Amino acid sequence: MVPNALESLPAEIFLEVSSYLASRADVLQLSQVSKTVYTKVLPALYADVDLHGAEQCERTLAMIERCPQVARHVRKLTVHPEHEFHPRPHDQYRAWDNAGVVSRCVMRAARNLDALHHFEWDGEDMLPDDRMWAELRSRCPCLKSIGTTFGCFLPRPTSNLFKFDDLCGFALTLKDGFYAHSLHVPSRESEPVFARLWDMLTIRCPNLESLALVGHSSEPSEAARLYAARWPKLRHLALGALVWSSNAPGQAAHSQKAPEFKDFLEAHPSIQSLHLLGRPSSNQLDLSGLDYAALPNLKEFSGSFVHLRMLVDRMPSGDEVNANTPPSVVGTSLTKTLKRVCFPHAMHLRDLTPVTISRVLLSLHALTSLKVTFAIQGGYDSNNILRTIATSCPFLHDLDITCTNKSSFFLETFANSLRGLSRLRTLTLTLVRTSGEEPMHVGAARIARANPRLRAFAITFIPPHAIAAAGDAPPPPLERGAFELTCDAHGIPVCLHVAQWHAAPWPWPWLGAWSGASSLVPPRGSVRRWVFDLRPSGHPDVQPKGMGALLVERGPAGEEARLMLFCLCLLVLTVWALVGRALRGEV
């Protein structure tokens, strides 16, 4: 009766339940209850399809081609033809043709993707088959957002990529091969291609809402056409490695002024998300001249701390405002609108004092999400920066902190600093493990007890390493854990659901090097899952620990039990010796 009652529920109920599941694996397990449930969960299972590697792309896209009842639920499709989760030696011989093979699979599957809204091609160096863009444009009437990459080669100016109309979103990522072949420098080869690209975006896509032009290089690319463009509905903007100003420092006053990035921002008050990415370059972005009333609806910002300080320190023009008046008194619109801030580049604490950070963060009264990376320097008190964040952002809901280069602080110290963040719901902490640090799950228990409103948080231990360039990913982890906190009806922590991963070192360094993995931080490891009780041992609902569990416990009770056992062993040995001597007549 129970399966029949479950299957009789409407599909809307299953879709609502699926929206609360944490991972796609949980949705898959729900769909495997029965065929009826699978049919009802199908829209949630295939709404967002992300494929990695040629083999997975070929299998999944072939299934979409054969099964129109599955393909009609796909709304977002992301393809990574040259990125393998577990590469095999024979795959490198066919990697050069992965782009062509996978793009032709997309071309054949496009006939069934009538509900596709977003498509993203994340290749590396090779170009996809141009017929793929033609099929997507003609077969997918709902396609309004596309993303692609430029690597070692550029598409032809007559490519079907530049024939889309009325797009709502466009993303272009410039890979390393793009800069290695100097394609960012204006030339006879690149200028016609980018001219067609800007014609499509500025003339045929007037309702553009999301635009991303990101390059992973310190060499900027020219973007004068971008600064002259106007999209009244633009809400999300992500830029990186661009020439921010086209005017020369000594340009004559009577000459025509070229459009600049600040003019573009002032002309788009609808922007809600601004991401200034890419590595630092000699062509620094200056936002100090931005108009005081610009970006009135900005809710999310990613960039360097200097950029954010320029936006916050803007002052209204006029003699009625004193130049020495702090921004916290005058206040821009960011103080009420900005909710999420991300600093993708590592902040060196020897250059940025906690007072400077506190002054900027204190002025953002609506801030609820913060992601920051610190490069720890020798001899610096990193505990001070934790107290600064806790006092400057008391209304945070989400916090992501990364401390690289050197060991920073103990988890117990970090837990004490979190007591001031009473509204915190999610936490992500990445740091170098300090010598003498207690086990990760014990430190996680301290964090849970210090802030019982946390629902989920993660901790990652990384090895110490040299200062990396901005935008580089941290080294592979040595240990990481995911924790979910369960509280009772009164908000008191009850238990912690732990999923902890440990790196397993190779037995011989030469074996790890031969397999392509580092002997210090290998890509393999083991996962352990268990429930850690947070209630004291005397609690009536806690099952009493046996003698064996008490002896191995890491705590004062375990130390006392081990000491008593040691004393008992000494007493037994002494009595045994005395009894033995008595039996031999020596006493």
Side-chain angles (χ1 to χ4, degrees), residues 317-574:
S317 60
D319 299 333
E320 68 276 9
V321 179
N322 188 357
N324 296 325
T325 304
S328 58
V329 176
V330 179
T332 64
S333 58
L334 296 182
T335 60
K336 299 180 180 180
T337 62
L338 194 58
K339 297 182 178 180
R340 294 176 293 275
V341 172
C342 173
F343 300 122
H345 311 307
M347 300 169 59
H348 300 276
L349 294 182
R350 62 183 180 183
D351 299 329
L352 297 172
T353 62
V355 176
T356 305
I357 298 176
S358 176
R359 185 183 66 85
V360 175
L361 295 181
L362 275 174
S363 61
L364 304 177
H365 307 305
L367 188 63
T368 59
S369 178
L370 177 63
K371 182 178 181 180
V372 59
T373 301
F374 295 113
I376 304 298
Q377 307 298 323
Y380 188 87
D381 183 15
S382 55
N383 298 328
N384 195 15
I385 195 64
L386 296 179
R387 293 189 292 267
T388 300
I389 293 178
T391 55
S392 304
C393 312
F395 305 112
L396 282 181
H397 294 174
D398 309 291
L399 179 61
D400 189 333
I401 295 182
T402 301
C403 298
T404 63
N405 301 341
K406 298 181 180 181
S407 57
S408 49
F409 44 79
F410 291 96
L411 292 180
E412 181 180 3
T413 305
F414 182 77
N416 295 332
S417 303
L418 285 181
R419 297 183 185 275
L421 301 176
S422 59
R423 301 188 181 185
L424 198 63
R425 295 295 180 272
T426 61
L427 170 67
T428 303
L429 177 63
T430 303
L431 73 163
V432 178
R433 185 168 189 169
T434 306
S435 178
E437 177 67 84
E438 56 192 356
M440 179 183 288
H441 69 276
V442 177
R446 295 184 184 276
I447 294 176
R449 293 189 181 101
N451 200 327
R453 289 195 174 186
L454 276 174
R455 289 295 172 261
F457 59 98
I459 303 175
T460 303
F461 287 147
I462 58 176
H465 60 289
I467 300 176
D472 289 351
L478 295 175
E479 184 180 355
R480 60 172 177 259
F483 308 90
E484 294 185 5
L485 179 60
T486 301
C487 299
D488 58 11
H490 305 285
I492 300 176
V494 175
C495 62
L496 202 61
H497 296 266
V498 184
Q500 196 166 343
W501 178 88
H502 295 268
W506 294 94
W508 300 282
W510 61 267
L511 181 61
W514 174 80
S515 62
S518 172
S519 59
L520 296 177
V521 191
R524 65 192 187 102
S526 59
V527 179
R528 180 191 174 195
R529 302 175 186 271
W530 78 97
V531 178
F532 186 73
D533 204 320
L534 299 177
R535 294 169 294 187
S537 57
H539 195 277
D541 296 334
V542 176
Q543 184 179 1
K545 295 182 179 179
M547 183 57 65
L550 186 60
L551 290 175
V552 298
E553 180 182 347
R554 294 188 177 183
E559 293 179 1
E560 294 179 2
R562 289 188 290 270
L563 181 59
M564 292 177 61
L565 179 62
F566 178 71
C567 294
L568 181 61
C569 292
L570 291 180
L571 179 60
V572 170
L573 292 176
T574 304

Side-chain angles (χ1 to χ4, degrees), residues 20-280:
Y20 286 95
L21 297 179
S23 63
R24 187 67 58 84
D26 297 335
V27 181
L28 178 61
Q29 292 180 358
L30 176 62
S31 66
Q32 293 175 346
V33 172
S34 66
K35 293 183 179 180
T36 304
V37 175
Y38 173 79
T39 305
K40 296 181 179 180
V41 180
L42 203 59
L45 192 61
Y46 288 96
D48 186 357
V49 179
D50 194 350
L51 306 177
H52 292 260
E55 183 177 355
Q56 186 185 42
C57 291
E58 291 182 50
R59 290 201 314 265
T60 307
L61 292 173
M63 182 272 295
I64 292 177
E65 181 185 1
R66 296 191 308 267
C67 306
Q69 68 276 12
V70 174
R72 64 188 181 92
H73 297 296
V74 179
R75 294 182 51 83
K76 181 179 179 181
L77 177 61
T78 305
V79 178
H80 310 269
E82 298 163 333
H83 180 265
E84 295 278 357
F85 279 131
H86 304 286
R88 291 172 294 184
H90 67 82
D91 290 338
Q92 59 183 352
Y93 297 104
R94 53 161 296 181
W96 63 272
D97 196 33
N98 283 353
V101 172
V102 174
S103 60
R104 287 187 285 271
C105 292
V106 175
M107 179 180 63
R108 292 190 294 269
R111 68 188 68 177
N112 298 330
L113 298 174
D114 51 356
L116 186 66
H117 183 269
H118 177 86
F119 174 78
E120 183 174 355
W121 174 271
D122 187 14
E124 288 296 331
D125 296 326
M126 307 303 293
L127 290 173
D129 194 323
D130 190 66
R131 293 175 295 176
M132 178 190 71
W133 300 112
E135 287 293 312
L136 290 172
R137 185 168 53 89
S138 60
R139 302 277 188 174
C140 306
C142 299
L143 185 59
K144 294 297 180 181
S145 178
I146 61 173
T148 187
T149 58
F150 287 174
C152 298
F153 304 96
L154 292 177
R156 299 189 305 270
T158 58
S159 171
N160 288 282
L161 173 64
F162 309 128
K163 296 181 181 180
F164 284 88
D165 297 321
D166 200 22
L167 290 175
C168 295
F170 181 80
L172 174 62
T173 303
L174 307 177
K175 297 291 185 174
D176 294 336
F178 178 83
Y179 297 96
H181 289 74
S182 300
L183 298 178
H184 63 287
V185 180
S187 62
R188 296 179 58 183
E189 179 185 1
S190 61
E191 284 187 350
V193 175
F194 283 97
R196 291 295 307 274
L197 173 64
W198 290 118
D199 289 342
M200 178 188 70
L201 295 178
T202 58
I203 299 176
R204 302 199 306 275
C205 301
N207 299 318
L208 200 67
E209 299 180 4
S210 176
L211 176 64
L213 301 175
V214 180
H216 303 285
S217 174
S218 59
E219 301 182 16
S221 304
E222 182 62 42
R225 288 285 302 269
L226 168 65
Y227 305 148
R230 298 295 181 264
W231 293 286
K233 298 182 179 181
L234 187 64
R235 294 184 300 170
H236 307 284
L237 179 64
L239 302 175
L242 299 180
V243 177
W244 303 114
S245 177
S246 302
N247 298 312
Q251 189 175 12
H254 58 82
S255 61
Q256 186 178 2
K257 180 181 178 182
E260 296 185 0
F261 182 58
K262 69 179 188 65
D263 301 327
F264 178 84
L265 294 180
E266 293 173 357
H268 292 83
S270 59
I271 293 179
Q272 299 180 4
S273 176
L274 177 62
H275 304 273
L276 304 178
L277 309 175
R279 299 175 181 176

